[in-house]
Amino acid sequence: MLNKKSVDDLQVKGKKVLVRCDFNVPLQDGEITDESRITAALPTIKKLLEDGGKVILCSHMGKPKGEAKPELSLAPVAKRLSELLDKDVVFAKDEVVVGENARKAVAAMKDGEVVLLENTRYRKEETKNEESFSKELASLADIFVNDAFGSSHRAHCSTVGVAEFVKESAVGYLMEKEIEFLGNAVNNPKHPFVAILGGSKVSDKINVINNLLDKVDTLIIGGGMAYTFGVAKGGKVGESLLEADKVDYAKEMMAKAEEKGVTLLLPVDTIITKEFKNDTEFKTVSALDIPDGWMGLDIGEKSRELFAAAIKDAKTVIWNGPMGVFEFENFAGGTKAVAQAMADIHATTIIGGGDSAAAVNQLGFGDKMTHISTGGGASLEFLEGKDLPGVVAVQDK
Ligand code: AMP
């Protein structure tokens, strides 16, 4: 159980509550292309409004690097949020975030009203967690609620610093849900516990592999990172993704798996091409015998069967990272097979955000999973066994 104050522990009637959300949604030509992060924030916002709070929302969007970049304004989020809540969302359009518009809007708020501040990363202090901006944010509110799971691995003003300068702080429902699902899966799993890791780089997931080997029964490694393990096994990987300086680490992890009695599954076959594109000649070969001039872009049919068989008997499955270049239709088959295998079982199935979440949703398996995390980086740090600064900063119960 999370030992932090939650929204249910607060008395918010008549109080100003600053809520850090993760509204970092993808935009194309000013239109939101995936609003799942906005809908994920609604339960907390609705609860605070129903209880008569004055709800001031804030978030970052993209990486404006301390400048007011109009294309990264939260204005489209204000519009969509207002439709989803079926009430006015006053957008405080201040380049300095906490400026005249924000102060006026907040001063005029009645109970049950909503104000959204501008992109917190318009301020250069934000990502440095500088006290000055934390204090400005805190000056707007009595209470701080952190519901931005996707940003909770970053110590910024709006996720960490601000908590110190308000009277009370709590975590929101989304944060609680993420931590409950990820925490239970990792620290209190029903066995057999299978973790599947993919994506491009071993170096991004070093600590995740190490930490999970202490907990899982089976670790499946696919995607671009598998070729470094292939070389560690003495294989030839042609032009496939390879981190030569991580081969020794891969060997160490294989030894650790053996020592711990963990089954480490690697691809046995792979689909190779000469060019990194969708429409090109491809064929399947042994994962350990890729000819020069060819590169592996997906796991082969035998690997899919091998991985699906391991997933079939699992009671808990966690997945982070695609099995191949799923953005190309011809090389999405391995990722799809893993998503299908997870969708087919009666078990706790958790998708660790980022590309795997996008892949699962894109392939139409979204509603078949127990939990799809909204935070890629944050869920990875969680899987590494790290404390998330955005959670640590909130008051204990
Ligand atoms: P990551 O950001 O590390 O989770 O990696 C996700 C990216 O890994 C996706 O964009 C995939 O296209 C890429 N990826 C997965 N498998 C391969 C592969 N075999 N070769 C190159 N890129 C890959």
Side-chain angles (χ1 to χ4, degrees):
M1 263 307 284
L2 185 62
N3 192 32
K4 293 288 171 184
K5 257 195 190 174
S6 104
V7 166
D8 292 324
D9 301 317
L10 300 172
Q11 301 289 329
V12 300
K13 175 122 190 73
K15 294 195 186 141
K16 287 174 281 182
V17 189
L18 178 71
V19 188
R20 175 48 157 106
C21 299
D22 180 8
F23 290 148
N24 183 27
V25 290
L27 287 175
Q28 214 164 30
D29 305 323
E31 295 290 322
I32 298 165
T33 54
D34 177 355
E35 63 184 31
S36 47
R37 284 185 163 160
I38 304 180
T39 48
L42 293 176
T44 296
I45 300 172
K46 284 184 177 163
K47 163 75 175 162
L48 294 170
L49 291 173
E50 276 161 21
D51 289 356
K54 298 172 181 174
V55 178
I56 307 156
L57 305 170
C58 69
S59 172
H60 80 284
M61 163 89 86
K63 292 184 176 159
K65 302 206 166 130
E67 274 174 56
K69 298 220 169 103
E71 67 278 17
L72 293 175
S73 167
L74 283 173
V77 172
K79 185 166 163 267
R80 186 64 190 127
L81 195 56
S82 170
E83 290 161 3
L84 291 167
L85 289 171
D86 196 20
K87 69 162 45 218
D88 267 355
V89 172
V90 176
F91 183 54
K93 200 174 178 327
D94 283 316
E95 292 194 351
V96 291
V97 188
V98 184
E100 205 179 319
N101 291 325
R103 288 206 178 86
K104 269 195 192 149
V106 169
M109 283 178 99
K110 298 198 185 75
D111 295 358
E113 289 188 346
V114 191
V115 166
L116 173 64
L117 305 182
E118 188 47 285
N119 188 344
T120 50
R121 288 195 193 163
Y122 277 8
R123 290 286 294 266
K124 62 178 180 344
E125 300 94 324
E126 162 75 336
T127 52
K128 296 181 196 137
N129 196 17
E130 278 182 25
E131 203 171 291
S132 54
F133 184 46
S134 299
K135 282 183 170 164
E136 283 178 47
L137 286 167
S139 72
L140 296 176
D142 307 298
I143 302 171
F144 170 64
V145 171
N146 191 356
D147 208 19
F149 178 74
S151 307
S152 58
H153 57 312
R154 308 262 183 241
H156 293 171
C157 296
S158 67
T159 57
V160 169
V162 60
E164 203 185 313
F165 304 106
V166 287
K167 295 189 196 98
E168 233 184 328
S169 57
V171 291
Y173 289 138
L174 172 64
M175 191 80 108
E176 275 189 297
K177 186 172 135 204
E178 291 272 11
I179 290 169
E180 186 195 318
F181 277 112
L182 288 167
N184 271 339
V186 176
N187 300 318
N188 196 15
K190 280 203 187 129
H191 292 270
F193 177 17
V194 176
I196 309 156
L197 295 176
S200 51
K201 289 198 212 140
V202 177
S203 48
D204 286 347
K205 290 180 185 147
I206 283 192
N207 297 323
V208 180
I209 299 171
N210 198 11
N211 188 41
L212 287 177
L213 280 175
D214 291 328
K215 301 176 186 289
V216 298
D217 302 294
T218 300
L219 179 63
I220 296 176
I221 293 184
M225 60 194 276
Y227 303 102
T228 300
F229 281 81
V231 169
K233 283 184 84 171
K236 274 178 55 200
V237 297
E239 316 312 311
S240 308
L241 276 186
L242 168 67
E243 285 172 280
D245 60 337
K246 294 292 173 288
V247 171
D248 283 344
Y249 176 79
K251 284 183 187 162
E252 247 176 71
M253 289 302 105
M254 293 191 307
K256 178 169 177 177
E258 197 166 329
E259 188 189 307
K260 295 255 164 193
V262 172
T263 306
L264 179 64
L265 292 181
L266 295 165
V268 287
D269 57 353
T270 186
I271 303 183
I272 57 170
T273 69
K274 283 187 171 165
E275 290 173 289
F276 189 81
K277 60 181 191 186
N278 186 58
D279 298 314
T280 183
E281 180 197 349
F282 56 85
K283 59 182 179 183
T284 302
V285 297
S286 152
L288 298 180
D289 198 12
I290 302 174
D292 290 343
W294 293 74
M295 65 186 117
L297 294 190
D298 197 7
I299 57 171
E301 196 56 50
K302 285 192 190 129
S303 310
R304 294 174 202 180
E305 283 166 18
L306 177 73
F307 293 178
I311 293 166
K312 192 164 166 274
D313 296 325
K315 285 279 167 281
T316 307
V317 186
I318 288 187
W319 178 25
N320 188 296
M323 295 290 101
V325 185
F326 74 100
E327 297 92 334
F328 297 155
E329 212 190 323
N330 283 336
F331 307 104
T335 300
K336 201 171 180 173
V338 163
Q340 181 78 60
M342 285 179 73
D344 285 347
I345 55 169
H346 291 287
T348 303
T349 48
I350 310 250
I351 311 295
D355 274 324
S356 9
V360 163
N361 284 325
Q362 227 176 65
L363 298 168
F365 293 111
D367 59 353
K368 297 272 179 10
M369 305 297 165
T370 310
H371 181 66
I372 300 182
S373 175
T374 53
S379 64
L380 267 185
E381 293 207 8
F382 203 95
L383 298 184
E384 286 177 13
K386 282 193 191 155
D387 284 331
L388 301 174
V391 178
V392 173
V394 167
Q395 277 177 325
D396 290 337
K397 259 201 178 110

